[in-house]
Every structure is written in structure tokens, then in C-alpha cells.
Amino acid sequence: MISQARSHSVKRIADSTVRRLSAYLRFLEESAVDGVETISSDALARRGGTTSAQVRKDLSFFGSFGKRGLGYSVPELTSSLRDILGLGREWNVIIVGAGKIGMALGQYEGFEQRGFHVTAVYDTDPGKIGTQWGSILVRDMSRVEADIAEVTPDIAVLAVPVGEAQDAADRLIRAGVKAILNFAPTQLQVPGDVSVRNVNMAMELEGLSFILSNRDR
Amino acid sequence: MISQARSHSVKRIADSTVRRLSAYLRFLEESAVDGVETISSDALARRGGTTSAQVRKDLSFFGSFGKRGLGYSVPELTSSLRDILGLGREWNVIIVGAGKIGMALGQYEGFEQRGFHVTAVYDTDPGKIGTQWGSILVRDMSRVEADIAEVTPDIAVLAVPVGEAQDAADRLIRAGVKAILNFAPTQLQVPGDVSVRNVNMAMELEGLSFILSNRDR
């Protein structure tokens, strides 16, 4: 029943809901470390920057959790959220672009902890190809299609200069990649069956400069 | 009139609107490079992943732009959006945490291009303090309050481990910082007059694993 409800509703789940689920999961994990066994929707709401009604609505998409007046069991809800977010398995990730951002991402421990396993990094720079980052080898971008044909990564992280991003995305998608985390400050054009998330750090700073500029007027 | 309208409405401007304004600005800048002089709300909408009605609504918060049937002047709208987003001036930015993410951010050219000037990086690690990144010196975190008292940065970028993030934020805020870009995967508790934006790269990957996990059911 739950799995039916899930496949039914998943298309309507907004990105903002998924972000809140991720925030709830982080709070649950921290609470477990502190020995907390049950948690109220109020506490989850405060942490997710939302209301307890929204918490109940967010969770209700995926089944029935918690008991009225008793709150949620921390281990049970943690496990359910990990399952909902697809964190019960390992995801193969490649990084395209061995610049500073690509390098920081390749060595970011938070990915591995969540089951995102970086298998390779690609670049076109002969000075970088063949170098080793911890356990990860920087490979020649000209080989990316052949490599993907052998083992298709679940997710490709795009950390190339803005002028190369669309071409790189096109190549990855033609080779079979269905999910891209894009760090280039451009809106990629992709087919409907490909999912893209954008991380634009300058844009986040602009969000702050917008607030700062408009606060004093 | 326009400035009145702006100060009136700015509190109601959603983050999602500000993100679209940033996306429009990027598209306008790319169009200018290609020699485009006027642009339709349809073209802006495609680029911002939205509708032309939404584009007109987003821009209408800030005044009257464009002419019906003629579209928007690329240089005029570019200039207005830069002004709206607070990009007409230089913003002083400090980075707290000289790890891999902090280092990548400190050397990220996209910040400087937008007027976000990184003035200092702070860390508690004696092995890092005193080292130089290009023109930026890594300074002792114990000095951050004294430094802020001299020159208050407009924005602090927090790139410390999750367990240190709230303490570091508290120190920065007590010293007078009003805007934080937080890379630590935790929800900071801050007073109402402090603005926080979060960049959580593992959470972005979770957004993709959520879609991938739920797609096949």
C-alpha cells in the first residue's frame, strides 16, 4: 500500500519537500547521536524551518509515521527517510572537471558517508590526466563515453567552466547519464528524462547581497 | 517611485524569485556577449525554467521594464538586475574554515567577478595559519572578533566541520556579521536580523537519488 502510494505521488513531490526531508533526516541523525528516541513534529519543524503541519504533510506523502501525542520514533523515521531518499544503496558518481571545485568535491567525505561513491574524475588537461587524488585517478575526458558504456554512473557531477558545460552535459547524456549535479553557472538544456540539480555558489552570495542591499532602503 | 515600490515589496520577495532574477541576469550577460540587444520574456522564461507570465511578475516587483511586443533591452535590464541584486558595489567576504571547500571557494573566480571580494580566511589549525593562498592569508580564528571589530565583513562564508558550525556562527554574529553563507550540513540558529543561505552538496545529491530511486517504482 505504501509503495503504491509512493509511486502514485512521487511525480508531485516538489524539490522543496525533498530538501525538507533531507533536513529532517540530518536532525534525526544528530538526535540519535544525542540518545534521543522519539521526536515531535514541532521539533522537526523548528529544524526544517517550517511548521509542524508541514512536517506531517511532507511525511504523509510516503505513508503513515508516528503516533498522535507520542511523536516519531527516531530510529524508525530515520530508516524510512533514508529509504525514501534512496540512501539505502550505493550510487556511482563521476566528476567531470578536475579544477578546484571538482577536486574539493572528489575529496568531500560527506558524499561517501551518504553512499555516493566517486569512481572517477575526468579532465581534458594533459597536465591533470593520470594524476591521483587519494584513491581516485584523473582520467582523460576523451574516454568518458567508452567508460560510461562499460559502467554507467548513476550521477555525473559537472564542475567544468561555464562555456564547456552544455557540451559536456550533451556528451554525458548521449552516453546514458540520467542525473547531473551541475556546478557551472548556466541552465543546462536536457531531455525530459534527465534530472539536473544546480549548485551555484555565486548565486547564493547574490541572494545575500540582495537582502543586504534592500534591507537599508 | 520605483525605489518606494522596492522598499515596500522587498520583504515579500521569495528566495525562489531572487534565484530566478540571478538566472535571468546570467542569461542576459551571455546574450550581450552574443550581440543580442533585445530579449523577450519568453526567452527569459525558457532560460529560468519558468513561464513568461512569471518573468513579467518577477520583474514587476521592481518597476516597469520592457515594452509590450518589443521585449526587454538587454543592456538596460542587465543594469537594473545588477542593481536589484546589489551587484553594483563590492562586498567584503571572509571565509571561516581553510579546508578543501574553503580553499576552493577562496580561489573561485566567480566570486570576484561579481564583486564578492574575499579579504581573509580563518582557521584554528596551526599548520594552516600563516599560509598564503594567492593573495589571501590564512589567519588565526582566535583573531576573528578583533579583525571584525576593525572591518566588519558584509558576508561570512562558513566552511567548517558540522560540529563547529553553530559555535563559529555565534562568534561571527556576536562580532557583528549579518549575513552567512553556510556550507556545513546543519541548520544554524540565528537571530532574526541575520540572513543565512545554505549550500549543502550532499543534500543536492540526495535530491537526485530521491528522483532516481522513485523513478523506477
Side-chain angles (χ1 to χ4, degrees):
Chain A
M1 273 299 275
I2 289 174
S3 121
Q4 264 198 353
R6 187 181 301 176
S7 62
H8 237 66
S9 55
V10 72
K11 282 188 210 314
R12 293 192 309 257
I13 307 293
D15 265 12
S16 51
T17 306
V18 181
R19 280 172 203 278
R20 283 193 302 271
L21 296 176
S22 285
Y24 304 153
L25 174 58
R26 276 172 177 71
F27 186 43
L28 287 163
E29 289 171 339
E30 289 171 27
S31 302
V33 169
D34 296 339
V36 176
E37 285 173 12
T38 60
I39 204 159
S40 65
S41 49
D42 269 349
L44 282 170
R46 275 195 300 278
R47 185 52 177 265
T50 184
T51 63
S52 56
Q54 182 70 61
V55 170
R56 287 189 294 268
K57 189 179 167 207
D58 288 343
L59 297 177
S60 72
F61 284 121
F62 303 99
S64 171
F65 302 99
K67 288 195 181 112
R68 190 169 292 275
L70 292 178
Y72 302 100
S73 151
V74 170
E76 280 176 26
L77 189 54
T78 301
S79 163
S80 299
L81 283 176
R82 289 186 59 83
D83 183 44
I84 290 166
L85 290 167
L87 300 176
R89 50 160 288 194
E90 188 161 279
W91 300 94
N92 280 327
V93 176
I94 62 168
I95 295 176
V96 176
K100 292 176 197 101
I101 297 283
M103 191 172 80
L105 295 172
Q107 305 182 317
Y108 180 55
E109 288 165 7
F111 286 169
E112 198 69 44
Q113 284 163 7
R114 295 257 164 212
F116 298 105
H117 179 56
V118 178
T119 56
V121 178
Y122 292 89
D123 207 286
T124 55
D125 177 354
K128 286 177 181 161
I129 294 164
T131 62
Q132 192 88 23
W133 298 355
S135 62
I136 307 168
L137 185 71
V138 180
R139 298 168 72 86
D140 189 336
M141 184 64 185
S142 69
R143 292 178 49 173
V144 77
E145 286 90 353
D147 287 357
I148 293 175
E150 257 178 59
V151 182
T152 306
D154 299 299
I155 298 171
V157 175
L158 209 52
V160 299
V162 59
E164 299 170 23
Q166 185 65 52
D167 279 354
D170 291 345
R171 285 178 62 181
L172 296 168
I173 292 166
R174 272 197 306 270
V177 168
K178 296 291 183 202
I180 294 175
L181 181 60
N182 173 38
F183 281 81
T186 186
Q187 186 80 24
L188 298 173
Q189 308 295 319
V190 303
D193 65 336
V194 174
S195 301
V196 177
R197 285 255 179 160
N198 296 292
V199 179
N200 187 323
M201 289 172 292
M203 200 178 279
E204 299 300 332
L205 281 180
E206 283 170 28
L208 290 172
S209 63
F210 170 81
I211 293 168
L212 292 170
S213 316
N214 287 282
R215 177 179 279 171
D216 306 329
R217 298 186 197 206
Chain B
M1 274 298 277
I2 287 174
S3 120
Q4 265 199 353
R6 190 183 298 176
S7 63
H8 235 67
S9 54
V10 71
K11 282 189 209 314
R12 294 193 309 258
I13 307 293
D15 266 11
S16 51
T17 306
V18 180
R19 280 171 204 279
R20 284 193 300 272
L21 296 177
S22 285
Y24 304 153
L25 174 58
R26 277 171 175 70
F27 187 42
L28 287 163
E29 288 171 338
E30 289 172 26
S31 302
V33 170
D34 296 339
V36 176
E37 285 172 13
T38 59
I39 203 160
S40 65
S41 49
D42 269 349
L44 282 170
R46 275 196 299 278
R47 184 52 177 268
T50 184
T51 64
S52 55
Q54 182 71 61
V55 170
R56 287 189 294 268
K57 189 178 166 207
D58 288 342
L59 296 177
S60 72
F61 284 121
F62 303 98
S64 171
F65 302 98
K67 290 195 180 114
R68 190 169 292 275
L70 292 177
Y72 301 100
S73 152
V74 169
E76 281 175 26
L77 189 55
T78 300
S79 163
S80 300
L81 284 175
R82 288 186 58 83
D83 184 44
I84 290 166
L85 290 168
L87 300 177
R89 51 160 287 192
E90 187 162 279
W91 299 95
N92 281 327
V93 177
I94 62 168
I95 296 176
V96 176
K100 291 176 199 102
I101 297 284
M103 191 172 78
L105 295 172
Q107 305 182 316
Y108 180 54
E109 289 164 9
F111 286 170
E112 198 70 44
Q113 285 162 6
R114 295 257 164 212
F116 298 105
H117 179 56
V118 178
T119 56
V121 177
Y122 292 89
D123 208 286
T124 55
D125 178 353
K128 286 177 181 160
I129 295 163
T131 61
Q132 191 88 24
W133 297 355
S135 61
I136 306 168
L137 184 71
V138 180
R139 297 168 74 85
D140 188 335
M141 184 64 183
S142 70
R143 292 178 49 173
V144 77
E145 285 89 353
D147 288 357
I148 292 175
E150 256 179 61
V151 182
T152 307
D154 301 298
I155 299 170
V157 175
L158 209 51
V160 298
V162 59
E164 300 170 22
Q166 184 66 53
D167 279 353
D170 291 345
R171 286 178 62 181
L172 295 169
I173 292 165
R174 273 198 305 271
V177 168
K178 296 291 183 202
I180 295 176
L181 181 61
N182 173 38
F183 281 80
T186 186
Q187 186 80 23
L188 299 173
Q189 309 295 319
V190 303
D193 65 336
V194 175
S195 302
V196 177
R197 285 254 180 160
N198 296 291
V199 179
N200 187 322
M201 291 172 291
M203 200 179 278
E204 299 300 332
L205 281 179
E206 283 170 29
L208 290 171
S209 64
F210 171 82
I211 294 168
L212 292 169
S213 315
N214 288 283
R215 178 179 277 169
D216 305 330
R217 297 186 194 205

